[in-house]
């Protein structure tokens, strides 16, 4: 097997897989991939590579599986040094780990609470999601990017979810650019990068997927 053979077990609309693809693009790394059918039957390779959770993404580096999207982005940055995604100083890296953990624990589940709800529960879920984004807006402050003046690790961790935001807005009846204007501006700034623009899926595809999921869960 040749040096640095990269193979990604992927699902195009997954915000977690999007993170990995953006990180690979930022590093200028070539890789092969396999789209997983998460609803019709997971591949044998996925089950073998991630037997505990059987979830994507999985990055196979020279046949060795690296699991969990944030961990994969860490791994990519540590293994392929240039350009660096994490801050150079230990304080900056510790801050990045803290906010990455916050994003992992809050953003996707907060958004899912919106599409899984209706009525009063939907209103509560919407308000809680906006509060999550306001906390991230506080972390952004007056900086261009979450990690400072340059696009980096934290931006990659969060921007993958932005393709799901229009669906949350439609179901919840709100606009992020009105509620959290700094986050709205940050999204536009990130989309100006080639790695992001070429990787983010069309929002209508996410909307179609969520519509299917809402029907599966008996919500609509």
């Amino acid at each position: 097997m040749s040096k640095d053979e990269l193979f990604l077990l992927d699902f195009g609309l997954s915000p977690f897989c999007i993170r990995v693809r953006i990180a690979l693009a930022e590093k200028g790394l070539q890789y092969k991939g396999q789209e997983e059918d998460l609803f019709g039957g997971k591949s044998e390779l996925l089950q073998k590579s991630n037997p505990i959770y059987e979830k994507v993404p999985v990055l196979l580096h020279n046949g060795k599986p690296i699991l969990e999207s944030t961990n994969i982005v860490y791994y990519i940055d540590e293994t392929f040094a240039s350009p660096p995604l994490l801050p150079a100083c230990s304080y900056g890296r510790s801050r990045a780990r803290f906010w990455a953990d916050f994003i992992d624990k809050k953003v996707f589940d907060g958004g899912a609470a919106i599409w899984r709800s209706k009525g009063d529960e939907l209103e509560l879920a919407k308000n809680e999601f906006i509060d999550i984004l306001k906390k991230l807006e506080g972390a952004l402050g007056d900086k261009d990017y979450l990690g400072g003046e340059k696009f980096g690790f934290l931006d990659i961790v969060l921007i993958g979810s932005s393709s799901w935001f229009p669906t949350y807005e439609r179901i919840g009846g709100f606009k992020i650019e009105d509620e959290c204007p700094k986050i709205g501006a940050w999204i536009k700034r990130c989309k100006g990068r080639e790695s992001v623009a070429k990787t983010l899926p069309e929002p209508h595809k996410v909307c179609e997927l969520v519509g299917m999921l809402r029907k599966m869960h008996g919500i609509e």
Side-chain angles (χ1 to χ4, degrees):
M1 186 175 287
S2 62
K3 184 181 178 183
D4 296 331
E5 183 175 305
L6 298 168
F7 192 88
L8 180 64
L9 300 180
D10 199 3
F11 180 67
L13 300 182
S14 163
F16 306 106
C17 295
I18 292 168
R19 292 174 176 175
V20 177
R21 298 201 302 273
I22 292 174
L24 290 166
E26 284 289 322
K27 295 285 186 175
L29 296 169
Q30 300 296 315
Y31 67 96
K32 294 180 180 179
Q34 174 176 298
E35 183 83 359
E36 290 290 329
D37 182 357
L38 301 185
F39 301 99
K42 299 172 184 178
S43 72
E44 183 179 342
L45 181 57
L46 175 58
Q47 295 176 58
K48 179 181 176 182
S49 302
N50 189 359
I52 304 301
Y53 296 116
E54 297 185 1
K55 289 182 178 180
V56 292
V58 175
L59 181 67
L60 294 160
H61 183 196
N62 296 335
K64 296 179 180 178
I66 301 96
L67 313 177
E68 298 294 318
S69 61
T70 302
N71 184 51
I72 295 171
V73 177
Y74 278 131
Y75 179 87
I76 290 170
D77 197 43
E78 288 180 349
T79 306
F80 305 96
S82 181
L85 302 177
L86 280 157
C89 69
S90 57
Y91 174 75
R93 291 194 298 273
S94 70
R95 179 182 178 276
R97 284 191 290 268
F98 171 84
W99 283 108
D101 183 65
F102 177 86
I103 293 165
D104 281 346
K105 289 177 177 175
K106 299 291 186 179
V107 173
F108 185 76
D109 286 349
I114 292 175
W115 68 255
R116 288 175 176 156
S117 304
K118 55 185 176 180
D120 292 341
E121 289 184 358
L122 174 57
E123 185 68 16
L124 178 63
K126 177 193 77 172
N127 291 334
E128 288 181 349
F129 184 74
I130 291 170
D131 183 63
I132 290 166
L133 293 187
K134 285 186 180 296
K135 287 183 170 65
L136 288 166
E137 200 169 45
L140 178 63
D142 294 323
K143 303 185 296 295
D144 284 344
Y145 298 103
L146 286 165
E149 302 311 311
K150 294 182 180 180
F151 181 85
F153 173 80
L154 273 180
D155 305 292
I156 291 172
V157 170
L158 181 58
I159 196 62
S161 294
S162 68
S163 56
W164 288 64
F165 290 177
T167 298
Y168 304 155
E169 291 174 318
R170 183 185 64 81
I171 294 171
F174 68 101
K175 285 288 184 184
I176 288 171
E177 61 184 19
D178 295 334
E179 301 288 347
C180 305
K182 288 184 179 180
I183 291 293
W186 168 84
I187 291 171
K188 291 178 182 178
R189 199 174 298 122
C190 290
K191 286 182 176 179
R193 295 188 68 82
E194 184 178 8
S195 65
V196 176
K198 287 188 173 182
T199 304
L200 290 182
E202 293 293 329
H204 74 87
K205 294 182 179 179
V206 176
C207 190
E208 290 170 1
L209 173 63
V210 170
M212 181 190 75
L213 292 171
R214 282 170 65 86
K215 289 176 182 177
M216 285 174 58
H217 286 80
I219 300 165
E220 63 177 34

